[in-house]
Structures are given as structure tokens and as C-alpha cells.
Amino acid sequence: MWTEITRRKHEREGQRYASDVTDAEWALIEPHMPAAKPLGRPRDTELRDVVDAILYIARTGCQWRMLPKDFPPFTTVQGYFYDWRDNGLFEKINFELLLQAREAAGREASPSAGVIDSQSVKTTESGGPRGGACPRARQSRDPGDAANKLKSLPRRRLGAVSVAS
């Protein structure tokens, strides 16, 4: 629920888009950004603009080619995104921000205990080879294969075999 305090804290006035990072957010992210490479072409793209473009795509779900023209070229943004993803930069930034958030809340930087909900563990048993998006793709065309698809627990315990007629 929005309060006057939280509304002011998360206000995005003066930003091009609601997904753009604020100065305070950029101050937390910027130290983790990779330095310019010593060899090759000098960097002429602002990394903050690249981060804003990536967040815009994540927020709107638009295609790379549909990125508005006030961002760097989509090929540049896409290249940085893939490079940072493959190098684990997003995970590193997320981990560092998590540590800072825990310390700001008065907790230890890393948790000392964890909880696993037993109901969540039970539901994972239904996954595996039977899972998938399209049930028809998993169906066998061989009628003799029906015995392998029995789901009834008592029949499997008894070792029931299909009877060919």
C-alpha cells in the first residue's frame, strides 16, 4: 500500500521513462559496471543509458528492434546485455544489493538459516519426464505402450501388465 513516505521514495519525476534508474540507484549500480577495455575502440556509449534500455525492455516486454530511438542502438544494448548476462554481472549486482538491503534492515549480511516448505517439496515429485508444454507430443502412437503409461499407484504396485486382445 502506498503511503506518502513510500510514494516520495519511489517517485520517478523527471525521468524519461518509469523504468529509468534514479541517481541514487545508479550510485549503487555504477561501481559494479565493467571498466572500458584498454584495447580496441573507445567506449562512446554511456552505461547508464544501456542499463535504462535493458530495464525498459524488461518492463515493457518490447522486442529489441522496437527500442525507442532515444536509447542507444538496440544492437549495442543487446551486445552489452548478452555480455553482462554471460559474465554473471547481473547476479553479482543482485547479490551485492541483497547484502546491502539486509544490512540496512538490521540483519546479518548472509542468512544463518533457511526454511523449506514441505508442501513445496511434495509438489516437485510430479515433474520429470512426463512434464512438458504439449501433452499430445508425449503420447505414444503404439497401442502396446499403454501399460507403460499407467498412473494408478495400486496397479503399479501389483505389477499389472496389459493384456493384449
Side-chain angles (χ1 to χ4, degrees), residues 47-105:
L47 294 184
R48 182 172 180 169
D49 291 338
V50 174
V51 171
D52 286 341
I54 291 170
L55 292 175
Y56 179 85
I57 288 176
R59 178 71 177 151
T60 63
C62 76
Q63 299 167 348
W64 287 109
R65 291 182 184 273
M66 300 299 290
L67 192 64
K69 297 296 180 193
D70 52 349
F71 288 118
F74 81 90
T75 54
T76 302
V77 175
Q78 192 176 41
Y80 275 107
F81 173 77
Y82 291 145
D83 187 38
W84 294 346
R85 179 198 62 187
D86 295 343
N87 292 332
L89 181 67
F90 295 121
E91 287 84 5
K92 178 183 170 192
I93 291 173
N94 185 51
F95 181 74
E96 292 296 327
L97 293 176
L98 174 68
L99 295 180
Q100 290 178 17
R102 287 185 59 82
E103 288 174 352

Side-chain angles (χ1 to χ4, degrees), residues 8-165:
R8 274 185 262 122
K9 181 179 176 185
H10 298 285
E11 191 173 12
R12 298 286 181 179
E13 288 294 320
Q15 304 291 96
R16 286 181 303 184
Y17 300 99
S19 59
D20 288 354
V21 293
T22 62
D23 292 337
E25 292 168 340
W26 180 245
L28 295 172
I29 296 172
E30 185 178 24
H32 302 289
M33 291 287 111
K37 295 178 181 173
L39 299 175
R41 187 173 173 188
R43 179 187 294 163
D44 60 349
T45 304
E46 293 291 328
L47 294 184
R48 182 172 180 169
D49 291 338
V50 174
V51 171
D52 286 341
I54 291 170
L55 292 175
Y56 179 85
I57 288 176
R59 178 71 177 151
T60 63
C62 76
Q63 299 167 348
W64 287 109
R65 291 182 184 273
M66 300 299 290
L67 192 64
K69 297 296 180 193
D70 52 349
F71 288 118
F74 81 90
T75 54
T76 302
V77 175
Q78 192 176 41
Y80 275 107
F81 173 77
Y82 291 145
D83 187 38
W84 294 346
R85 179 198 62 187
D86 295 343
N87 292 332
L89 181 67
F90 295 121
E91 287 84 5
K92 178 183 170 192
I93 291 173
N94 185 51
F95 181 74
E96 292 296 327
L97 293 176
L98 174 68
L99 295 180
Q100 290 178 17
R102 287 185 59 82
E103 288 174 352
R107 298 177 169 179
E108 289 186 34
S110 57
S112 58
V115 176
I116 298 176
D117 180 12
S118 63
Q119 193 64 31
S120 298
V121 173
K122 285 181 187 175
T123 61
T124 61
E125 293 175 10
S126 64
R130 287 189 173 270
C134 180
R136 290 183 182 266
R138 293 190 311 263
Q139 292 176 352
S140 172
R141 306 233 184 258
D142 180 15
D145 195 28
N148 295 334
K149 297 195 180 301
L150 292 177
K151 289 186 178 180
S152 170
L153 186 60
R155 294 189 78 170
R156 280 189 287 170
R157 275 196 195 138
L158 297 175
V161 178
S162 65
V163 177
S165 43

